[in-house]
Amino acid sequence: MSSDRLMRIHSPEFRAMAERVLEVTELTSRLNALPFADEGGKTDLFEKILGRPLPARVTIYPPFYTDHGLHLDLAERVFINQNCTFLDYAGIRLGERVMVGPKATFITVGHPVDPEERRGWLSGAPIDVADNVWIGAGATILPGVSIGRDAVVAAGAVVADDVPAASLVTGDKATVHRRW
C-alpha cells in the first residue's frame, strides 16, 4: 500500500502481508529481549526487520514494535524512545533529526468506517514526517498524515490531519461526528 487505497482481506496481498507480520513479530520479540548493551545483536535484528541497515546515527531504544518494517524509512539522526509502535505497511518516513517520544504510535492502516466493509477490507495511507520534528510522548499519528518541518506534536495528541511546518499541535478529545 503506497497511498490511499483499500486491500481486500483474504487476498494474496493480504496473506503476504500477514506472513511478514508474523516474521517481524518474531524478530521484534527477539530484539526486545536482548540486553541493552548488545549492539551487535540489535544491529543484526534491525537489519532483518527493516530489510537494510539502520542509517547513520539513528538511535532506537527498545522495546520497539513494527508490524512490517520494510516500509519504515528512517533518515539520519532520528531518535526513537522506548515503547514506540510503527504500523508501517502503507509507509512511514521520518526525516532527519526527528525525535519521537516514548509510547508514540504511528498507524498507516485501518478499516473502513462502514460496518459492511469493515471486516472485508483494510484501508491505508502513508505517514510523512519532515525534518526536525518532535513527536511527544504517547502521541498517535493516523494514516495519511504529513507533518511539516520543525513542527511539534504535543504529548498525547491524536493527529488525524496534516500539521503545518513550524507549528505546535495538541489535543486528544474524541468528537462524535455521526451516528449509524
Side-chain angles (χ1 to χ4, degrees), residues 155-175:
V158 177
V159 183
D161 298 310
D162 290 350
V163 175
S167 62
L168 168 66
V169 295
T170 66
D172 64 349
K173 184 178 181 218
T175 304

Side-chain angles (χ1 to χ4, degrees), residues 112-133:
V113 174
D114 183 299
E116 298 299 318
E117 296 179 358
R118 193 174 303 153
R119 295 196 187 278
W121 297 88
L122 284 181
S123 59
I127 294 170
D128 186 68
V129 180
D131 294 349
N132 207 39
V133 168

Side-chain angles (χ1 to χ4, degrees), residues 93-179:
R93 186 189 77 81
L94 300 183
E96 288 192 17
R97 297 178 316 280
V98 167
M99 298 185 304
V100 180
K103 296 187 179 180
T105 302
F106 295 73
I107 303 170
T108 66
V109 294
H111 296 274
V113 174
D114 183 299
E116 298 299 318
E117 296 179 358
R118 193 174 303 153
R119 295 196 187 278
W121 297 88
L122 284 181
S123 59
I127 294 170
D128 186 68
V129 180
D131 294 349
N132 207 39
V133 168
W134 178 19
I135 307 291
T140 300
I141 315 302
L142 297 176
V145 167
S146 291
I147 300 175
R149 181 184 179 91
D150 297 323
V152 175
V153 174
V158 177
V159 183
D161 298 310
D162 290 350
V163 175
S167 62
L168 168 66
V169 295
T170 66
D172 64 349
K173 184 178 181 218
T175 304
V176 175
H177 290 277
R178 61 181 158 164
R179 294 176 56 121

Side-chain angles (χ1 to χ4, degrees), residues 50-109:
L50 301 175
R52 62 198 171 284
L54 279 176
R57 298 183 297 204
V58 167
T59 301
I60 301 175
Y61 287 163
F64 169 85
Y65 304 96
T66 185
D67 67 340
H68 197 269
L70 298 177
H71 301 145
L72 181 55
D73 180 13
L74 305 173
E76 292 189 9
R77 296 184 282 175
V78 165
F79 173 80
I80 299 170
N81 213 321
Q82 299 176 47
N83 259 327
C84 291
T85 300
F86 295 84
L87 304 183
D88 68 299
Y89 187 70
I92 298 171
R93 186 189 77 81
L94 300 183
E96 288 192 17
R97 297 178 316 280
V98 167
M99 298 185 304
V100 180
K103 296 187 179 180
T105 302
F106 295 73
I107 303 170
T108 66
V109 294

